[in-house]
Amino acid sequence: FASGTAVGLYALWRRRRRRRLRVKVAVLCAVREEARHIEERLERVQTMPFSVGTRRYRRVRGVVGRVVVDVVTCGIGSVDATATATALLSAASFSLVVNCGCSGGHREEVRAGDCVVGASVVPSAYKMVRADGSSEHVGLRLDTSSDPLRELAVDAGLLRVAEATAGDVDLPPWPTTPHRRPVVHTGKIASSDIWTQHRDDIRRQSATLGTLCEEMESFAVARVCDHFGLPWLTVKDVVNNELLDDDDDDHSPTPETGLGESLVLDELGRRAAIVVIAILRALDANNVEARDELLYPNS
C-alpha cells in the first residue's frame, strides 16, 4: 500500500476498534455522602473489594448505559486522594477519571446549589511568605530547574464536551432558595487542604488566582492522572459561600457537621452527581462522536 493509504486504513481500524471498546470510568468522591448520589443513579450495582495493605476502600461498580463506572470513596484531603487514586489506577485500567463532590464558593454569584465544571485546578496552598509578611502563590515546585506548576488544565476537547453536556442539565434548587435555578459555571477550582472561611482571604484568592470555588482533592487526583497519562475531569457542587451575608438564605441554620462548618449533609455532591451522570451518558458507546472527543481528543 502507499503510505497515505496505510495511514488511512490504520485510522479507520482504530476508530472501529474504539466503537467496540467498553468505556470504563473511575469516579472518586471524598465521603460517602457524596458518593451515594452517583451510586444511586447506576444500574446493576455491586460492591467490589478493594484494599491496599490494611486500608480498605469502598468501591461500588455499576453501569450508565454501556459505560462501566467504579465509584470509590477516597477520604477527605490531598493525601488520601493521592493514595487512593494511585492504588486504584495501579490495580485497574480506566478510560477516564472524574473527581466529584462539594466545594465552597469563591464569588458572590457562585451560590449554594450551583455546580462548577473545572477548566483547571489550582494548588492554592503552594505559596511563598515574603520577609515583609506578604504572600505570593508560586505553584508546585517539581524540581530546582523547571518553572513551578501553577495549575493543571483539563484537555480543551474534553472540557468542551463536558461543558456542553452540563449546560443542558436541569439542577434541583437548593433547599433554602427554592425559587432560584442553580447555575453550572466553568472555571478554575482552588484545591488544597485549607478550609477558608475568612472573607478577605477568599476574595484575595479569587482575585489573584481566578478561582470560582475551593475544595481539597481535585489537584491531587489530577496530578496522579497526569502521571498515568489518563484524561480527568473535576465537577463540584457549591454547598456554601462565606461571602454572603449571614441572613442570606445560603446561610440558613443546619446541623453542625464537626468540620468547622454547618452544611446540609444530604445535599453534598448531589448536583455534581447529576452533572457527572449526564457526562457519562455522553460517553455511552451509542454516542461514538462525543465519546471519541472525550477520550481521544488529540487523535
Side-chain angles (χ1 to χ4, degrees):
F1 291 102
S3 59
T5 303
V7 170
L9 289 174
Y10 176 68
L12 178 63
W13 174 83
R14 286 189 67 197
R15 180 164 293 274
R16 288 180 175 176
R17 183 174 181 271
R18 289 174 191 165
R19 296 186 185 202
R20 295 194 298 270
L21 287 177
R22 196 167 203 186
V23 177
K24 188 176 179 183
V25 176
V27 179
L28 271 66
C29 301
V31 293
R32 289 280 298 274
E33 287 84 357
E34 297 168 339
R36 73 178 185 89
H37 293 295
I38 295 285
E39 296 169 3
E40 291 169 356
R41 289 167 170 81
L42 302 178
E43 298 177 348
R44 291 164 34 200
V45 175
Q46 57 182 317
T47 301
M48 305 289 294
F50 177 51
S51 61
V52 177
T54 59
R55 174 72 184 270
R56 295 180 62 84
Y57 298 90
R58 175 177 173 81
R59 178 170 68 165
V60 173
R61 177 171 294 174
V63 296
V64 175
R66 298 183 186 180
V67 179
V68 178
V69 183
D70 278 10
V71 185
V72 179
T73 303
C74 65
I76 297 173
S78 61
V79 172
D80 279 353
T82 299
T84 306
T86 301
L88 182 66
L89 300 184
S90 298
S93 298
F94 293 92
S95 310
L96 172 69
V97 178
V98 180
N99 180 221
C100 175
C102 65
S103 66
H106 268 195
R107 298 182 185 178
E108 284 85 350
E109 66 271 19
V110 182
R111 303 186 57 166
D114 289 357
C115 276
V116 178
V117 175
S120 66
V121 289
V122 180
S124 54
Y126 289 94
K127 61 184 180 181
M128 179 175 290
V129 180
R130 303 294 182 183
D132 61 1
S134 63
S135 63
E136 175 189 356
H137 177 257
V138 295
L140 171 62
R141 293 187 180 276
L142 304 177
D143 52 47
T144 58
S145 58
S146 58
D147 292 334
L149 183 62
R150 298 181 61 87
E151 63 185 272
L152 280 173
V154 175
D155 178 87
L158 178 59
L159 179 63
R160 183 168 55 251
V161 176
E163 186 178 12
T165 303
D168 293 333
V169 174
D170 187 20
L171 297 174
W174 189 252
T176 58
T177 53
H179 302 297
R180 177 183 180 272
R181 182 178 180 180
V183 178
V184 178
H185 308 268
T186 301
K188 296 182 180 183
I189 296 176
S191 187
S192 76
D193 289 327
I194 300 172
W195 188 313
T196 312
Q197 293 184 312
H198 190 258
R199 293 182 177 183
D200 289 346
D201 196 51
I202 293 172
R203 291 190 177 98
R204 180 193 59 78
Q205 286 189 61
S206 182
T208 58
L209 304 179
T211 50
L212 300 182
C213 65
E214 67 173 49
E215 52 74 73
M216 297 182 175
E217 297 82 29
S218 63
F219 181 79
V221 173
R223 187 89 175 94
V224 173
C225 288
D226 270 10
H227 278 294
F228 280 85
L230 284 174
W232 54 271
L233 274 176
T234 296
V235 181
K236 301 286 178 169
D237 56 24
V238 179
V239 296
N240 75 309
N241 190 323
E242 295 291 345
L243 299 177
L244 302 178
D245 293 333
D246 291 339
D247 58 355
D248 191 279
D249 285 338
D250 285 17
H251 277 74
S252 61
T254 55
E256 189 68 28
T257 65
L259 299 174
E261 181 63 68
S262 292
L263 299 173
V264 185
L265 290 180
D266 287 345
E267 301 296 326
L268 300 187
R270 179 186 173 198
R271 289 153 190 82
I274 293 172
V275 172
V276 169
I277 291 295
I279 294 171
L280 294 180
R281 294 196 185 283
L283 285 172
D284 194 299
N286 292 325
N287 192 345
V288 176
E289 182 177 354
R291 187 199 64 192
D292 281 358
E293 188 164 4
L294 278 164
L295 299 183
Y296 309 98
N298 297 316
S299 60

